[in-house]
Amino acid sequence: MRIVSGIQPTGNLHLGNYLGAIRNWVAMQDEWTARGATCLYFLADLHAISMPHDPAGLGANTREMVAALVSCGIDPDRSILFNQAQVPAHAELQWLLNGTARMGWLNRMTQWKDKAGKNREGASVALFTYPVLQAADVLLYQATHVPVGEDQKQHLELARDIAQKFNNDFASEDAPVFTLPDPIIPPEAARIMSLRDGSAKMSKSDPSDMSRINLVDDADTIMQKVKKAKTDPEPLPSEAEGLEGRPEARNLVGIYATMAGTDVAGVLAQFGGQGFGQFKPALGDLLVSKLAPMAARYRELREDRAALDAILARGAEKARALAVPTLDAAYAALGLVR
Ligand code: TRP
């Protein structure tokens, strides 16, 4: 079993990032490396240049994201943690796969349609071929399982289509070049919403810092933000149906459930009938107890640039070695002389 997943580097990590992707990566690492599987986790910095970006910010975000991942439990001794830019095989394999991917396939990608919007002529070519790089990311390592959010399922299906067509066109049936990867979508992919508006995703770009819990927030700040979180005047219901039409209440209950490792029903069994005056302090305490140790590590590690660069260098070295056989096989299958 080989697990491969990537995340775009962003700065100012918050609870939504943690409960979205990071926590799931840590769980997979803990579960699967113990059984002899290899987990490769990388910062998709090459993907980040498909949209207008600030070069200084990209470097800072890449290091900040590594600090966050390690603080939250990704262990660079057990997982291979690296950034794409230090493993040229990603870009090389993308070019080789560009010969197999079809314009029609890429034209159907919803992320391309959403991000390019009405201005397709002005979109970067990188944005269009983004899913081919993503296919290269996973096919390069013979990934069997790729943990992703629901929104990336289509890109994974494309990776499978590319792998299949390449194998068909250029490999013999008994010696395929690529493994077809399976997506792993977390069951209730935690959608964490803004603390100020239960219908908007928690986001680092929300102008109000009160809308999110940052990974660097200290205990007082967390308690304050939870206390000030938007709610409604009703007490909590005793059943999940009672959260219908109450997005803010649903969000806070959802956050509690994910942090406590239970589900909405479990939280409501405990807090149903109570008002937010009682529930919010309990939620704040829970968040502080779970996040404080990670936040402390994060605040320290993000300042230690040498340590972060060393982690990335070591991960990239391991990734480069793992990539060799597949990249060689792909060049050879295409008849390229090197
Ligand atoms: N496109 C993914 C996202 O935005 C990030 C990503 C890049 C990725 N390469 C990947 C995810 C390979 C899984 C596997 O979330």
Side-chain angles (χ1 to χ4, degrees), residues 4-8 21 25 42-45 47 84 90 111 115 130-131 133-138 146-149 151-152 155-156:
V4 180
S5 195
I7 192 164
Q8 288 216 33
W25 282 14
F42 62 89
L43 291 311
D45 51 1
H47 278 107
Q84 285 168 320
H90 288 248
Q111 183 178 294
K115 287 201 175 170
Y130 178 118
L133 178 59
Q134 186 163 346
D137 292 338
V138 298
V146 181
V148 282
D151 64 326
Q152 294 297 312
H155 286 165
L156 249 289

Side-chain angles (χ1 to χ4, degrees), residues 153-173:
K153 216 171 133 189
Q154 197 186 31
H155 286 165
L156 249 289
E157 275 155 22
L158 182 92
R160 292 174 63 93
D161 290 343
I162 292 175
Q164 187 134 44
K165 181 166 167 55
F166 188 102
N167 287 342
N168 270 338
D169 292 355
F170 303 113
S172 66
E173 226 170 280

